[in-house]
Amino acid sequence: MMKFLGLSLCLALTIVDQTLAQNNQYLPPDKGYDYNKPNQPFPTAQQPQQVPFPRPPAPAPSYGPPPAAGGDHVHEPGMPFDFNYNVNDIDTGNDYSHNAVSDGDVTRGEYRVQLPDGRTQIVRYTADWKNGYNAEVTYEGEAKYPEGPGQGGANSGGYKY
């Protein structure tokens, strides 16, 4: 009985498939395509016309000049912080540090950098919303340059090029 049902189902699917294939309008027709001639002549090559592209008006600026010093500026203090770090890597010669403290209005800090000539550059700074960033730069130590060929000695004229 099951074999009969299976065979009947296959036969029914084959018949449906053939019927759909005959009515399928997406396949090319058996006799080819037959199009009517256009009722107006095909245009000859013409130069394309330039059509101006309308530009939108420029938007009005959404900003203005900075407020005058002490004018209508409303200062909102920032987050207070206190941080520092220090790097001293003998293998690479990196030696620098940074310390900073802020109460939310004024930040004070100092950073130090070991320069290639052996000196340490020290920058002490103050920054606030009213006066901006103000720094004082000083140096510790003496600049030392390695002696190379043609350098050093009383008769040396410096670098040779």
Side-chain angles (χ1 to χ4, degrees):
M1 178 72 174
M2 290 301 276
K3 288 182 183 182
F4 177 73
L5 283 176
L7 187 58
S8 298
L9 182 60
C10 286
L11 182 61
L13 286 176
T14 305
I15 293 171
V16 169
D17 190 39
Q18 287 178 356
T19 305
L20 288 176
Q22 291 172 355
N23 295 332
N24 188 348
Q25 296 179 3
Y26 294 107
L27 295 174
D30 296 333
K31 298 176 185 177
Y33 295 101
D34 184 22
Y35 293 113
N36 296 332
K37 284 189 167 188
N39 55 7
Q40 58 184 351
F42 194 74
T44 60
Q46 296 177 358
Q47 293 295 326
Q49 293 180 340
Q50 293 289 335
V51 178
F53 183 74
R55 294 188 183 268
S62 61
Y63 56 87
D72 59 349
H73 174 76
V74 177
H75 172 66
E76 294 184 27
M79 178 72 74
F81 63 84
D82 182 354
F83 82 92
N84 63 55
Y85 64 83
N86 185 24
V87 174
N88 189 354
D89 186 358
I90 296 171
D91 293 337
T92 63
N94 285 322
D95 187 3
Y96 52 92
S97 63
H98 188 177
N99 302 305
V101 176
S102 176
D103 63 1
D105 283 325
V106 179
T107 301
R108 290 180 174 76
E110 171 185 295
Y111 54 91
R112 296 171 171 257
V113 178
Q114 181 74 39
L115 300 175
D117 64 11
R119 297 178 298 161
T120 300
Q121 181 184 46
I122 304 165
V123 179
R124 291 183 180 94
Y125 64 91
T126 303
D128 63 40
W129 67 273
K130 194 171 186 179
N131 300 308
Y133 178 83
N134 295 287
E136 174 190 312
V137 181
T138 58
Y139 297 90
E140 286 182 354
E142 250 183 74
K144 296 177 186 160
Y145 302 97
E147 290 190 19
Q151 295 180 7
N155 296 330
S156 173
Y159 293 100
K160 281 191 176 180
Y161 299 100

